[in-house]
Structures are given as structure tokens and as C-alpha cells.
Amino acid sequence: MRRSRVFMPTLKENPAEAQIVSHRLMLRAGMIRQASAGIYSWLPLGFRVLQKIEQVVREEQDKAGCQELLMPTMQPAELWRESGRYDDYGKEMLRIRDRHERDMLFGPTNEELITDIFRNSVRSYRELPKLLYHVQWKFRDEVRPRFGVMRGREFLMKDSYSFDIDFAGAVRSYNKMFVAYLRTFRRLGLKAIPMKAESGPIGGDMSHEFIILADTGETGVFCHRDVLEFPVPENVDYEGDLQPIVDKWTSLYAATDDMHDKSKEVELGDQLVTARGIEVGHIFYFGTKYSKPLGAMVTSAEDGEVPVEMGSYGIGVSRLVGGIIEASHDDAGIIWPESVAPYKVGLINLKTDDAACRQACDELYAKLQTAGVEVLYDDTDERAGVKFAEMDLIGLPWQLVVGPRGLKSGVVELKRRAGGERQEISPESVLARLIG
Ligand code: ATP
Ligand code: MG
């Protein structure tokens, strides 16, 4: 895409309403605009990142054997009356009445709806296990929407639901999601630590929040420092035994402020890390909490009809856009990991009225595009300083700078945004580098 054509309304000044760096940078880079409190439009640059994160999440869910579907944003109140949550959910739920005076709601989550789908179609243990997910907008009328997309009212979530015939099966599903989450966050360039979370009605320890460390995080975290260095598994066989991986990752102390245990922390001494964090995912086993009241029954091999065992597993897709920026930026702007960068390369023409520069840039642009490399080509006649500052702000992994002096000696400059190393290199070699 050419800079002269792209819709990317960047801001020179820091917007006064933004309290944290990710919100500030997202507004300044022209990624989002607020529509109303906690509700955002995603402009092209921001939308590209959102879609890339969604795609990484999707690929790792698919590998784990989870199947994608799509449920609507609007749900009938009826289902939530069956589970008892219509009244319990309180003011966070946006309630709407349609023209026939029927009570509807904008879904804050989907346990009831997916349980309804399940109970209408699955009858026997032979069809289990099932793991289903979707990526859909949620609405929660948060008391204090803030920090831009980090705590929105409308936000994009990936939510998965597991269905198993018994507890042992539910553990297998839980472990699949546990491992898929480790891999997902690693691919997003994040170090996310699973931390014991409030386990709700069933008790037990099958509830973990995945937290990334960031000073601006809303959650207090306490963990053994070695947890930060645990390896993320490669080439996972999701049909194999995942328990050893989960056991390893849960073997050391790691808890958020709601759950932490002072005496264990004292024992840890200087091995304890105390920090702030952002919750980017949450996995949760809740047994028959919804299947019982909604009557989602399956016939088992021995016991006749039993309510199906369930769990749910969320990832905050839109929160991750802010979370990744919190984890990866410097004074000049965002530093995107390659996996989610809106473009891989920013091509800067330093002198657009120079025929040689224009020709070299046009050629590099065409060749990179033909090879499928995503390029933002700054073909405008802004001053060099302005172009550099904007490229640093929007954080593309590679900057390719073409100027008349370099071209005379047959080189262009390649700069890596992370780290800032620069290298003079011939146009042919730079193509090989960026395409390879
Ligand atoms: P929180 O404790 O941050 O309010 P939650 O526990 O209510 O989150 P879950 O119901 O577990 O959230 O939702 C799954 C994921 O959705 C969370 O881990 C988080 O990443 C994301 N999420 C939840 N609420 C919001 C929100 N208001 N804005 C953006 N993302 C959110
Ligand atoms: Mg949670």
C-alpha cells in the first residue's frame, strides 16, 4: 500500500485522554478511534493487526482440534433465564427489547447459547469429545471502561467450549487448551504465564488466567521467577498425554492478587517475582454448571443419561492488540512482532523528486509485493525526519530506506525496528533477505 493512498490518520500530539502507552500509541498511529466510551472503530492499520492476532489464535485452536463456528452477538433472554444468569449477571449485561416485546441481550459470553446448540444435536457419548469455538464481539457494560481497547465495553473475544462425557475427558480438553494457549501467546511474541485463578462453583484447580507482565496491568501477580523461563512445547501431539506439560507449568508458585498466598511468598524469598500483569486469556472447567439446568444430557456407556461435562476458554483478541504494544514499544513508538505486524516492511523514499530514487523504490515495491511481502511504501514528499518518525511510531519490523546518495554507490539502508540495527545493502540482497 502506498502511504499517499492509505487511510492512516496519525497524530503528532499525544491525545490527552490516553493514560497508558498502548492507548496513546494506538490513537497516534491511527489504529483506532473511539465511537463512545469503551467502544472503538478499528481503522485500517489497527484492523490489520486485529485480524492477524485472530488468525494466529485460530490456527492454534484448529491444531488443538477445536472447531470454529459462529454464534450471533444477540441472544434470547430465555436461555439465560434457564441457567439463572439473566438476573445474576447484573448491570454489565446489555438488555434489549425487540419490536415484539421479547427480551434480548447482547452476549457478554456464550455458555448458554453453545449449551443450547449442543443439547439440540448431541445425544450419545460416542459423539464426544467436542471442542468448539468462535471469535465474536462481546458487550459488557463495564463500570469503568478505560485504557483504550484493554478494558472496552465492546470487545473481540475468542471463546471455546468443551464437551466431555466424564471428568477424565474434561481434563484432557482442559489440557489441550492450556497447551494451545502457551503456543498462541508465544507466537504473538508474548510471555504469558498461567496463574491459578478463582475456580468458581466446582472447586479444584482447573482454572487458570494467562497473564503477561506489564507495569500498567490491572492485576497484581506473584510468581516463582523460574516460571518466567519455562519452555513452550514445540510440535505438540494433541492426542497424546499433555499432563506432563501442564504439570511442569503448574509446578511452581504463580498466582494473581485474588488468589495469592502470603505464606508461600515468604518461603520463596528472593525467588519471588512481584509484578503487574494483563489478563489475556482464561481457561475454566465448570463441570455441569450449565448442562444440568439446561438439560444437556448424553447417554454414557454404563450410567444411562448424564449431564455433559463442560469447560470454557477465552482469549481477549482485541485486548491483545494493546497488550502486545504494552509489552513491545520504546520512546519512538510501537515495535510489532513480525507475526502480527500490519505490514512487514516500511519502504521510505527519501527524495521523491529524484528519478533514480523513484525508480528504485517502485521496483522494490513491485518485487516485494509480487513475492507476497506486505509493504507500506512512503511515496509522499514529506521531510525525511517526518517519515522516519512516523515509521518508528507505527512500528513495522523492517524499514527500507532509499536515498540518492546510497543509490549512487549501489546500496539502500535496511533498519530493524527492534534493536535499531542498520545495514547498507544492495537492492538484490535486500530482496533476498526480506523475501526469504
Ligand atoms: P477481567 O477480569 O479483565 O474483567 P474477565 O475475567 O471478566 O476479565 P473472561 O470472562 O475470563 O474475562 O473473558 C476472557 C478474556 O476476555 C479475558 O481473559 C480478557 O482477555 C478478555 N476481556 C474480558 N473483559 C474484557 C474487556 N472489558 N475488554 C477487553 N477484553 C476483555
Ligand atoms: Mg477471567
Side-chain angles (χ1 to χ4, degrees), residues 140 142 149-153 155 157 209 218 279-282 314-316 318-319:
R140 293 182 187 174
E142 300 271 357
V149 300
M150 300 278 250
R151 182 164 297 283
R153 292 197 296 162
F155 60 96
M157 195 201 285
E209 288 175 349
E218 293 183 281
E279 180 191 326
V280 288
H282 189 176
I315 289 183
S318 51
R319 177 179 285 184

Side-chain angles (χ1 to χ4, degrees), residues 207-279:
S207 173
H208 287 90
E209 288 175 349
F210 285 72
I211 309 274
I212 59 172
L213 300 187
D215 294 338
T216 50
E218 293 183 281
T219 310
V221 304
F222 306 85
C223 70
H224 192 298
R225 64 167 182 229
D226 291 353
V227 179
L228 302 172
E229 305 309 326
F230 278 161
V232 171
E234 315 272 350
N235 306 320
V236 174
D237 170 14
Y238 280 101
E239 294 314 314
D241 182 11
L242 302 176
Q243 198 62 52
I245 301 173
V246 174
D247 287 347
K248 163 92 183 164
W249 273 87
T250 52
S251 61
L252 293 178
Y253 181 74
T256 61
D257 39 16
D258 319 328
M259 289 293 288
H260 78 125
D261 178 340
K262 274 256 159 59
S263 62
K264 284 196 183 146
E265 286 158 18
V266 172
E267 272 170 44
L268 280 181
D270 64 358
Q271 293 183 302
L272 177 73
V273 176
T274 305
R276 308 291 304 168
I278 301 166
E279 180 191 326

